[in-house]
Amino acid sequence: NAGVTQTPKFQVLKTGQSMTLQCAQDMNHNSMYWYRQDPGMGLRLIYYSASEGTTDKGEVPNGYNVSRLNKREFSLRLESAAPSQTSVYFCASSESKGGSYEQYFGPGTRLTVT
Amino acid sequence: QKEVEQNSGPLSVPEGAIASLNCTYSDRGSQSFFWYRQYSGKSPELIMFIYSNGDKEDGRFTAQLNKASQYVSLLIRDSQPSDSATYLCAGFSGGYQKVTFGTGTKLQVIP
């Protein structure tokens, strides 16, 4: 049981390049999320998917696209990377459990755009 | 204005003391909350989820939610140096499954 996995762990891009960050969870969670974390800014929600087949914008969606490929996988794409997208990206998944909720995070992807 | 606000700290407490971390929120759609701990360079770890007014206890941690005053707090009893981390509060909108975070409070437990 790996929980939430993300690939790659590190990536360096040049301005204008594109890439896709991959996320998968094996907890059978319905909801999945992409966040970015910058110093002093906390975690900011980029996109989320409340269930398979749906996606919604968060606080900072500009410059990103997402795909909820199936219940397990939720990918984040940068079509034309910009230095402002240098950040640590976290994927998370959540589900109700016994009247409560749980949300777990992946290990993160450190992205640098030069 | 962010929907969830936290004092960035650092909050310094001596070992063995009670650490009190606070969070206020402006979005009445966020009626339940997560507390996370995040060590430097690591991903957030879930501490607790609270959705009812009042207190919820789990080991050395107690979360308190006051919906009328729109604040949520986390108490850590018998603080240990290993509790030194950034603590994140997040509001959860169950209807939309949306989770939004405060900027976190850095806690330092002094041996």
Side-chain angles (χ1 to χ4, degrees):
Chain A
N1 190 341
V4 181
T5 57
Q6 292 182 236
T7 55
K9 286 187 167 51
F10 301 93
Q11 184 71 48
V12 179
L13 291 178
K14 293 188 188 316
T15 297
Q17 287 184 319
S18 63
M19 79 162 295
T20 299
L21 306 184
Q22 305 286 354
C23 174
Q25 52 92 9
D26 63 2
M27 296 173 284
N28 203 36
H29 286 177
N30 276 306
S31 303
M32 297 186 73
Y33 307 81
W34 276 105
Y35 294 91
R36 59 178 289 174
Q37 189 171 37
D38 304 292
M41 302 291 287
L43 282 156
R44 291 184 292 169
L45 182 63
I46 305 172
Y47 272 94
Y48 66 106
S49 170
S51 61
E52 186 179 354
T54 69
T55 60
D56 287 283
K57 295 178 181 179
E59 301 169 75
V60 289
N62 292 343
Y64 305 95
N65 285 301
V66 291
S67 295
R68 182 74 183 267
L69 304 169
N70 47 56
K71 191 171 186 179
R72 289 187 66 246
E73 299 172 288
F74 189 37
S75 63
L76 179 72
R77 182 158 179 86
L78 287 71
E79 291 291 351
S80 179
S84 61
Q85 293 178 305
T86 293
S87 189
V88 180
Y89 290 85
F90 288 104
C91 177
S93 68
S94 75
E95 186 61 73
S96 62
K97 187 171 184 180
S100 183
Y101 273 89
E102 57 183 22
Q103 185 188 48
Y104 294 107
F105 282 77
T109 295
R110 291 186 177 275
L111 175 67
T112 302
V113 183
T114 61
Chain B
Q1 181 189 6
K2 280 184 74 71
E3 295 176 2
V4 178
E5 301 271 359
Q6 293 182 262
N7 188 318
S8 60
L11 172 67
S12 294
V13 300
E15 184 175 354
I18 296 175
S20 177
L21 302 150
N22 299 312
C23 173
T24 58
Y25 63 96
S26 58
D27 178 15
R28 289 193 179 272
S30 289
Q31 289 291 297
S32 51
F33 295 86
F34 294 98
W35 278 103
Y36 288 87
R37 176 174 62 192
Q38 186 176 27
Y39 294 109
S40 181
K42 301 294 186 183
S43 57
E45 303 170 348
L46 178 64
I47 298 172
M48 198 177 303
F49 176 79
I50 184 167
Y51 61 93
S52 297
N53 267 327
D55 297 358
K56 181 179 179 181
E57 186 175 318
D58 185 357
R60 293 188 297 114
F61 298 99
T62 299
Q64 300 173 319
L65 176 58
N66 185 320
K67 294 184 181 182
S69 300
Q70 293 185 258
Y71 80 79
V72 57
S73 61
L74 181 71
L75 303 178
I76 307 174
R77 288 182 299 282
D78 188 24
S79 296
Q80 301 298 308
S82 58
D83 293 324
S84 298
T86 296
Y87 288 80
L88 301 166
C89 170
F92 179 61
S93 175
Y96 298 100
Q97 299 291 304
K98 183 179 178 183
V99 183
T100 51
F101 282 77
T103 53
T105 299
K106 186 171 184 178
L107 173 67
Q108 295 175 339
V109 180
I110 312 300

